[in-house]
Amino acid sequence: MTHTDTIAAIASASGAAGVGVLRVSGPAVPAIASEFLGRDPEPRRAYFAAFRDAHGELIDRGLLLYFPAPASYTGEHVLELQGHGSPVLLDALLRRVCAMGSRLARPGEFTERAFLNGKLDLAQAEAVADLIAARSQAGARAALQSMEGVFSRKVHELLQSLIALRVHIEAAIDFPEEEIDFLADPLIMQQLHALRVQLDDLLREAQRGVRLNDGLRVAIIGRPNAGKSSLLNALAGSDRAIVTDIAGTTRDVLREQLNLDGIALELADTAGLRETDDPVEREGVRRAHGELARADVALLVTDAEHAGHDLALLADLPANVERIVLINKIDLGSHAAQYDVRSDAIWVWASAKTGAGLDALRDHLKQLAGAGSGEGAFSARRRHVQALEQVHAHLASADHVLQATRAGELAAEELRQAQHALGEITGTYSSDDLLGAIFSSFCIGK
Ligand code: GDP
């Protein structure tokens, strides 16, 4: 795709470093570069240039870099002007560049052009924004991996396996006289099962990638007065939540962003989950359930006295949420700090008041958030996980159809849809709405 217009934006104005960068992309770039330099620039060479306005008046002096198409970020002719980091100078320079035949870029428009010109796929483009927005070191490292194409390559490998299977099955449909024998071939089922294993691995990695990217979402639940707010404060190291002795104080959802050794967590302290007639508190309970629906981890806070009764809350939790039971207030009893892996949940005995046992909880949360997940860990977004879940559902249907009826056409259709869902991750198939939603969330100049 070639764009006929040229876009320009301030790509960075770092006050501390005193440097401001203006980025320009499109067909007018060579003319703009020559005008500033007084001659044609050589590609990828840094020039010290005078940036002058239309009357020859000096706006600023700085570096000029020219990247001819297609070897540039956007795949178009790109010009970078580095001047002093003053917003006033950069603004004047931007107006000058616009007067020379370009227009202001929309948010994310440079990266959108890079995507449309095939310089990176959609998952990589999203990783650019995620890298800029990263809230933890682990998140930034993971986004960098995705930007480098680690995630996209795995999606592509899966796609190749899927296409190979599709070809196999469609060949069987095209030769109906052989169909029965062909679809009964154990190789096809083996191929499908291998594909499902490959997908499940990628789905798990992508789920971890979302946690690395967004931070692990932890919903703290439990009866009023169990010590939920105290725990949030202890983990966050501040007095963010109000702690009182009156049951039902935490009426709204309080959120805290935590950075535990370079890993991002988002803790939400929900209202107690008890039945109540108080309309305000009831609203809090409703929000607590909403919070659970989007959480990765449910952290049930109780104490030795109420544990027997409170464990019933575990039964109401969504199936795919990780569970932790925290027996709080051990400072009041004789139980020592302890960590136990049980079939219903991870159990931790601790005290929000003294801090005893909380290190074990922190370590477990870090692990769930993807700490120590190694070099290759990549970032992902929820929409990628949803697409992979669709692939999972289509492959499961294909499996069922082949086993139960050997209906090749139906299985082939499921695989076609699975392929489509995979293509949505990398942007082989994408709607304008989706692209608009993705790129408009970028900052200007990227
Ligand atoms: P929430 O309603 O679940 O948020 O509970 P709060 O955090 O407001 O705590 C209720 C009461 O229990 C407060 O008086 C806290 O000081 C107290 N509390 C919380 N954690 C502990 C603990 O570990 N030990 C003791 N002794 N008291 C605690």
Side-chain angles (χ1 to χ4, degrees):
M1 162 163 321
T2 41
H3 289 88
T4 51
D5 57 349
T6 299
I7 52 172
I10 297 169
S12 93
S14 154
V19 180
V21 179
L22 202 80
R23 179 176 285 159
V24 194
S25 176
V29 155
I32 297 173
S34 313
E35 172 86 25
F36 279 137
L37 204 60
R39 64 197 145 100
D40 292 343
E42 278 178 40
R44 288 173 294 282
R45 224 187 112 172
Y47 293 94
F48 188 57
F51 308 138
R52 295 182 188 279
D53 70 12
H55 310 291
E57 193 87 25
L58 193 63
I59 301 172
D60 195 8
R61 273 186 210 282
L63 290 185
L64 179 152
L65 286 147
Y66 168 56
F67 304 90
S72 71
Y73 181 70
T74 58
E76 305 172 335
H77 298 315
V78 167
L79 183 66
E80 279 199 14
L81 305 177
Q82 302 180 8
H84 293 92
S86 148
V88 183
L89 292 185
L90 284 168
D91 201 50
L93 193 55
L94 181 60
R95 266 183 286 127
R96 170 73 174 127
V97 167
C98 285
M100 291 157 103
S102 48
R103 63 162 173 86
L104 292 180
R106 290 189 304 272
E109 205 173 357
F110 290 94
T111 309
E112 185 174 14
R113 287 191 174 193
F115 164 67
L116 294 171
N117 289 325
K119 299 299 279 190
L120 30 74
D121 68 29
L122 201 51
Q124 288 176 295
E126 290 170 298
V128 173
D130 293 337
L131 180 62
I132 295 167
R135 284 187 280 115
S136 68
Q137 282 167 354
R141 256 199 313 272
L144 199 58
Q145 291 291 320
S146 286
M147 202 183 80
E148 296 276 306
V150 173
F151 180 32
S152 302
R153 268 196 293 282
K154 295 197 179 202
V155 171
H156 194 72
E157 280 163 19
L158 194 68
L159 191 62
Q160 293 312 308
S161 310
L162 197 133
I163 290 172
L165 180 61
R166 245 188 102 179
V167 167
H168 223 128
I169 291 179
E170 286 184 2
I173 302 169
D174 289 344
F175 298 99
E177 63 281 4
E178 294 164 39
E179 181 174 350
I180 301 299
D181 286 336
F182 204 87
L183 289 173
D185 184 349
L187 258 180
I188 286 195
M189 287 321 278
Q190 279 168 21
Q191 231 178 326
L192 178 57
H193 289 153
L195 184 64
R196 295 188 68 182
V197 169
Q198 195 182 352
L199 170 71
D200 289 345
D201 286 347
L202 187 58
L203 188 53
R204 263 192 302 278
E205 286 184 272
Q207 280 162 339
R208 186 186 58 193
V210 172
R211 293 171 181 184
L212 282 169
N213 206 24
D214 292 359
L216 183 74
R217 290 178 179 169
V218 183
I220 307 179
I221 56 165
R223 174 182 50 75
N225 254 2
K228 298 181 296 298
S229 312
S230 306
L231 177 71
L232 180 75
N233 289 341
L235 290 174
S238 73
D239 281 340
R240 173 87 161 69
I242 320 139
V243 181
T244 71
D245 276 330
I246 309 155
T249 318
T250 313
R251 282 177 165 167
D252 210 336
V253 176
L254 278 172
R255 259 176 244 283
E256 191 76 48
Q257 305 280 352
L258 273 195
N259 194 321
L260 285 184
D261 303 334
I263 301 286
L265 297 187
E266 183 190 296
L267 291 175
D269 178 9
T270 66
L273 286 179
R274 66 173 187 178
E275 292 306 315
T276 169
D277 291 332
D278 176 348
V280 179
E281 208 179 318
R282 211 163 40 210
E283 172 60 16
V285 171
R286 196 186 61 76
R287 289 190 196 173
H289 283 290
E291 201 58 46
L292 275 172
R294 65 191 283 277
D296 301 308
V297 181
L299 174 54
L300 170 62
V301 181
T302 180
D303 55 31
E305 189 186 334
H306 301 91
H309 173 261
D310 289 352
L311 284 175
L313 284 172
L314 286 182
D316 289 340
L317 297 179
N320 55 354
V321 75
E322 303 274 353
R323 292 130 190 259
I324 303 176
V325 173
L326 183 89
I327 312 289
N328 191 29
K329 308 191 186 183
I330 56 167
D331 56 299
L332 296 178
S334 52
H335 206 293
Q338 195 191 326
Y339 174 89
D340 197 9
V341 182
R342 297 194 179 175
S343 60
D344 57 349
I346 300 287
W347 285 54
V348 182
W349 282 261
S351 164
K353 192 167 190 170
T354 66
L358 291 186
D359 276 347
L361 177 64
R362 283 193 191 94
D363 284 347
H364 186 63
L365 289 174
K366 278 196 298 195
Q367 217 175 55
L368 288 176
S373 38
E375 283 296 294
F378 56 82
S379 71
R381 291 187 171 190
R382 276 170 211 274
R383 80 164 191 96
H384 302 147
V385 167
Q386 280 160 6
L388 290 173
E389 282 168 351
Q390 279 175 26
V391 177
H392 181 97
H394 289 306
L395 293 187
S397 299
D399 199 335
H400 176 77
V401 160
L402 283 178
Q403 303 237 30
T405 64
R406 301 235 169 95
E409 285 90 351
L410 290 180
E413 175 58 18
E414 293 292 348
L415 293 183
R416 192 191 65 76
Q417 292 188 33
Q419 187 176 344
H420 196 279
L422 266 186
E424 283 176 358
I425 297 178
T426 49
T428 314
Y429 309 103
S430 58
S431 67
D432 286 348
D433 286 352
L434 176 67
L435 294 186
I438 289 173
F439 289 107
S440 63
S441 68
F442 273 61
C443 43
I444 290 184
K446 259 292 161 195

